[in-house]
Amino acid sequence: QVQLVESGGGLVQPGGSLRLSCAASGIDFSIYVMGWYRQAPGKQRELVATISSSGNTNYADSVKGRFTISRDNAKNTVYLQMNSLKPEDTGVYYCNARLVAWYWGQGSQVTVSS
């Protein structure tokens, strides 16, 4: 059974930082493309960042230069370091694993507010 378990969300002031983690089980983690998506209230889920099995990364324009995705294949974990957070970064952040099938975590709330 595939499980993706996110952690690290919370409330942060504008300009602050958070790091999300996603621990995967039930898959051969090292060969999967891993990603983070987010969904703001009333909006569709959108791509934030992805990282391939070889470490190539891709970011949404809105987070380039502020967010960094990374992976630790020994720990079956993908991370999202979020710096210089803005109120518009608020939303539920979902971990994603894809190869042929797509898998999703349960989501982690990130709220950026003063």
Side-chain angles (χ1 to χ4, degrees):
Q1 182 180 357
V2 178
Q3 283 193 314
L4 303 176
V5 180
E6 299 106 335
S7 60
L11 173 64
V12 63
Q13 291 187 339
S17 298
L18 282 175
R19 188 175 84 152
L20 300 180
S21 301
C22 171
S25 60
I27 58 172
D28 186 354
F29 181 82
S30 65
I31 67 173
Y32 273 71
V33 175
M34 299 300 297
W36 290 95
Y37 290 70
R38 68 186 179 190
Q39 187 165 19
K43 294 189 177 181
Q44 289 188 330
R45 192 174 297 188
E46 64 176 2
L47 170 71
V48 176
T50 62
I51 184 166
S52 72
S53 57
S54 60
N56 293 323
T57 58
N58 178 54
Y59 296 93
D61 287 343
S62 59
V63 307
K64 282 181 182 176
R66 300 188 297 123
F67 290 12
T68 302
I69 188 171
S70 61
R71 66 191 296 161
D72 185 338
N73 289 340
K75 295 182 178 180
N76 286 2
T77 301
V78 62
Y79 305 96
L80 185 68
Q81 178 65 44
M82 304 184 290
N83 298 329
S84 302
L85 282 161
K86 305 175 181 179
E88 51 263 43
D89 294 319
T90 294
V92 179
Y93 283 69
Y94 295 92
C95 178
N96 169 261
R98 69 176 188 263
L99 192 61
V100 177
W102 287 49
Y103 301 101
W104 296 94
Q106 80 286 356
S108 182
Q109 178 69 45
V110 172
T111 302
V112 184
S113 175
S114 55

